Amino acid sequence: MIALHAAPQLELAENLRRLLARQGMSIVELADLSGLDLRTLRGILAGRKRPHSRTLHRLANALSVSADELFQDPSLLVHRSFDRQTNPVVADILREHADLVRGWGESDFDELYSRFGTGGALTAEGTVETIRSMNHVRRVQNQVAVLLETAEAELLSQFVEMLYRRVVVVDEQGELLAPAGKLPDLPGAAEIREKPQRVDDPTLDFYSEHSH
């Protein structure tokens, strides 16, 4: 279910006009692709009609965007435009390597355009590397999501918790203090810094305990 917020009809109307213009699509073509009648679409574009969730999903599918894109905050579009202007090489790479971004949503492209290389804007090589890195993260997240729905969920949770505690410093309640090696001047930080480290690797213990 899509949550509607302040002035949703006007925001939807503005985004719908923007998306139609971006794709060079007419209202008649949108009606054909979405299966919605012209009267409904005109009411939405005029900001007079509050569509049902099913209508929003039909619009999103017809425009090949996520439903959330229909309620994009207009103020964020300025930042999006800036990111695209400062990373001009990204558009060329997307045309040349369309297969690498198959299935991406608007938020994925926004993240890509917002990335920067060491010296500023992304290079062609840096763009491809960033895309592959983002795809890898997405793949791992999808795998984790699947595992969390299986009998291995508890094992995975334990392993993630152990790895988390290896790369960050937490207090006795498990609250984050700082990334490992970057302790701030908090009460007890000195004691944590001076605490002797185990020579053996707890990860190896974990594998040993669960590999049989």
Side-chain angles (χ1 to χ4, degrees):
M1 189 74 176
I2 299 170
L4 300 182
H5 36 86
Q9 292 98 319
L10 295 178
E11 193 169 275
L12 171 60
E14 182 176 346
N15 280 301
L16 190 54
R17 285 192 293 270
R18 173 178 60 81
L19 291 168
L20 286 171
R22 187 177 74 183
Q23 299 192 24
M25 187 184 298
S26 69
I27 186 174
V28 174
E29 291 171 322
L30 179 59
D32 290 338
L33 290 172
S34 65
L36 299 171
D37 60 73
L38 288 173
R39 181 177 179 181
T40 297
L41 290 177
R42 290 193 178 101
I44 295 174
L45 286 169
R48 297 191 304 268
K49 189 173 182 62
R50 180 172 181 168
H52 296 294
S53 178
R54 185 171 59 180
T55 299
L56 293 173
H57 284 290
R58 290 169 71 174
L59 285 172
N61 289 336
L63 292 163
S64 300
V65 299
S66 68
D68 288 340
E69 175 74 2
L70 297 174
F71 292 95
Q72 174 71 57
D73 184 347
S75 65
L76 298 179
L77 298 178
V78 175
H79 300 290
R80 179 180 294 174
S81 176
F82 174 79
D83 288 340
R84 279 156 172 69
Q85 291 174 17
T86 52
N87 264 327
V89 71
V90 172
D92 295 333
I93 295 301
L94 292 177
R95 283 192 293 269
E96 296 172 10
H97 299 276
D99 57 309
L100 291 179
V101 294
R102 187 173 293 112
W104 275 32
E106 196 73 25
S107 60
D108 297 310
F109 290 110
D110 285 346
E111 180 181 348
L112 175 62
Y113 273 104
S114 67
R115 298 287 188 92
F116 285 90
T118 303
L122 287 172
T123 62
E125 181 180 348
T127 300
V128 173
E129 182 179 344
T130 298
I131 292 173
R132 287 176 173 156
S133 175
M134 291 174 62
N135 284 338
H136 173 70
V137 170
R138 172 193 282 181
R139 184 164 55 251
V140 172
Q141 290 174 335
N142 289 339
Q143 291 171 340
V144 167
V146 171
L147 288 173
L148 287 174
E149 298 297 326
T150 70
E152 303 296 339
E154 181 59 29
L155 178 62
L156 175 64
S157 297
Q158 293 177 20
F159 189 46
V160 170
E161 177 68 18
M162 184 194 64
L163 291 176
Y164 179 79
R165 288 174 178 272
R166 289 188 63 192
V167 298
V168 301
V169 178
V170 296
D171 60 18
E172 293 181 356
Q173 287 72 45
E175 296 295 326
L176 173 65
L177 290 179
K182 297 183 180 180
L183 277 174
D185 293 326
L186 295 173
E191 289 78 0
I192 296 175
R193 289 193 189 92
E194 296 170 1
K195 186 179 294 184
Q197 302 296 313
R198 288 180 56 186
V199 175
D200 55 318
D201 190 336
T203 310
L204 298 180
D205 295 340
F206 185 91
Y207 278 128
S208 177
E209 292 173 8
H210 298 88
S211 59
H212 302 293

